[in-house]
Amino acid sequence: MAGTPQYIRNLNENLIMDALIAQGTMSRADISRQTGLSKPTVSSAIEHLMERNLVRETGRADNAQGRKATLIRFNETAYYVFGIDIGATRIRIALSDLNGEIIAYRTYPMVIHEANDQAEASILMLLRSHINELLHENQLNWNQIQCIGFGIPGVVRPESGRISRIVDPLAGLEQAFSLESLSGAFPCEVILENDVNLAALGEYRSGAAAESPLFVFFSIGTGTGAGIMVHGQLLRGLGGLTGEIAEMLVEDDRRLEDVLSAEGLMQLAKRHLHLKGASFETVIRSVDAIADEDEDQVEGNLHRYLTPEKLFAAVRSGEAVALEIMTQYSQRIASALRHISVVLAPELIVLGGGVGGNGDVLLPLLKEIVSKQFPVQPQLIGSKLGEQAVVTGAVQVAVQQTLLNLQQEAME
């Protein structure tokens, strides 16, 4: 087929599509100058692209003299994609057009009673229900959805799409979230990727690390992980294991994730309070009213009152004991960052995740440690995208895949 008129026409159409996506609204003459194609060739290709609903006319150009040129633009609403962040406690779903513009976003609780065959079917039905809800609200149907990008808190095997090392709250659901399972549950193409990798991609494309040549997205939450990007490409490594810093061994040969995760932070806080002989009530009293329960009741229910959110709030309110805990915790984070820095020498480290996203508290403490103790001193900043970092990256890979499919479709 190569070299035939049909093949050449399809190449021309893809060239025009690329120009419109990159430049935005253009006249036919602009497209001709941009692509080097003749005006008759451009006009013919535009007509065919309009038949495929991939481009549309948007009015007249505001040129000073002569006949006003008709403007052409890529039709970003020809199809849509979803980006989905499967978290340990929440499901985040974003609906996007083909420009990557998120037009609807929802957060739902992750409801899992017990990981078994019934739970696998239930979670897939739940996901389908949430997506159907968003489609209905935006007057769309499945025929308009080309691709769904999923972010999973575990290792995604590139060759098989199978999952391993998923965070503990989702343990037992590896098969439910595998590429094979998700592809069978949804009537469109599915892409599966590690959630922290997607967060790194999101920050690179439209967040805190825009166009950074070498940076690390360091995520701390229920789990701990790193996404590493070099010149816009994710590093994956053997079996997709690049960035699995959760397995680093730190003090007393403990896993880094056990030390830095939200649960690790809470264990550190409890130990510190016990050693200080301090009451957690005194730590959180200034930021969280504790009804009429007495101190003994509060101490007996630390699992209910002691949360990362309350601890960070206590630091912000100036509670000295809370600041002591957070200073110790920052030393642990810094230890991991130091190892990463001396191996990779990244220009930038972006801190994110449910715990790491509290940059207003953590970054000043970490920057002081970096300036005094690090032989390699990358810039430390907080995530710009926050809780939407993963879904933003998921949307971007889904959009990229859809555009690639549309180009390949033209070549068939």
Side-chain angles (χ1 to χ4, degrees), residues 149-183:
F150 282 91
I152 303 291
V155 175
V156 178
R157 301 288 180 176
E159 68 282 356
S160 65
R162 302 188 68 176
I163 298 170
S164 63
R165 303 190 188 185
I166 201 165
V167 294
D168 284 342
L170 301 182
L173 292 173
E174 290 86 348
Q175 177 56 36
F177 294 130
S178 69
L179 182 60
E180 178 185 22
S181 177
L182 293 171
S183 296

Side-chain angles (χ1 to χ4, degrees), residues 1-18 35 37 41 45 49 52 407 410-411:
M1 183 177 175
T4 66
Q6 176 70 33
Y7 182 81
I8 293 172
R9 187 187 77 172
N10 293 337
L11 284 177
N12 292 339
E13 290 179 8
N14 287 340
L15 190 61
I16 291 170
M17 282 269 290
D18 288 342
T35 62
L37 300 173
T41 297
L49 287 170
R52 296 176 62 199
Q407 289 182 332
M411 303 302 294

Side-chain angles (χ1 to χ4, degrees), residues 86-99:
I86 303 294
T89 60
R90 295 180 181 85
I91 301 170
R92 299 180 175 91
I93 303 179
L95 173 66
S96 165
D97 63 24
L98 294 186
N99 275 340

Side-chain angles (χ1 to χ4, degrees), residues 34-262:
Q34 176 82 15
T35 62
L37 300 173
S38 68
K39 291 180 181 179
T41 297
V42 168
S43 294
S44 175
I46 289 293
E47 292 304 313
H48 191 247
L49 287 170
M50 289 177 65
E51 290 174 8
R52 296 176 62 199
N53 197 33
L54 295 179
V55 304
R56 54 193 172 97
E57 295 180 341
T58 61
R60 301 284 184 176
D62 190 24
N63 43 306
Q65 297 179 342
R67 181 181 176 184
K68 305 297 184 184
T70 301
L71 295 176
I72 307 295
R73 65 171 295 151
F74 172 61
N75 183 11
E76 70 278 7
T77 60
Y79 298 102
Y80 297 85
V81 302
F82 278 104
I84 300 181
D85 174 11
I86 303 294
T89 60
R90 295 180 181 85
I91 301 170
R92 299 180 175 91
I93 303 179
L95 173 66
S96 165
D97 63 24
L98 294 186
N99 275 340
E101 186 74 25
I102 294 177
I103 59 177
Y105 174 77
R106 295 285 187 280
T107 301
Y108 304 92
M110 172 63 79
V111 181
I112 300 173
H113 300 295
E114 185 176 352
N116 52 38
D117 292 342
Q118 188 174 356
E120 291 183 15
S122 176
I123 193 65
L124 293 175
M125 288 178 61
L126 184 65
L127 286 170
R128 183 72 177 255
S129 174
H130 291 331
I131 294 177
N132 284 336
E133 179 183 334
L134 279 179
L135 289 176
H136 178 73
E137 289 177 4
N138 290 275
Q139 300 180 321
L140 298 173
N141 58 62
W142 278 104
N143 291 333
Q144 294 167 279
I145 306 302
Q146 285 285 300
C147 187
I148 303 176
F150 282 91
I152 303 291
V155 175
V156 178
R157 301 288 180 176
E159 68 282 356
S160 65
R162 302 188 68 176
I163 298 170
S164 63
R165 303 190 188 185
I166 201 165
V167 294
D168 284 342
L170 301 182
L173 292 173
E174 290 86 348
Q175 177 56 36
F177 294 130
S178 69
L179 182 60
E180 178 185 22
S181 177
L182 293 171
S183 296
F186 299 98
C188 63
E189 184 167 5
V190 168
I191 297 175
L192 189 61
E193 178 61 91
N194 170 264
D195 58 349
V196 182
N197 280 348
L198 289 179
L201 181 61
E203 294 289 352
Y204 177 78
R205 293 286 173 78
S206 55
E211 306 305 317
S212 176
L214 173 57
F215 85 97
V216 176
F217 183 88
F218 191 96
S219 178
I220 310 173
T222 304
T224 304
I228 303 167
M229 294 198 71
V230 180
H231 298 299
Q233 299 296 317
L234 283 165
L235 292 185
R236 300 185 184 279
L238 179 65
L241 288 168
T242 294
E244 284 299 303
I245 59 172
E247 300 302 326
M248 289 173 59
L249 295 181
V250 289
E251 55 188 54
D252 301 323
D253 285 337
R254 297 172 66 195
R255 294 172 65 248
L256 183 67
E257 183 164 282
D258 297 335
V259 171
L260 291 190
S261 66

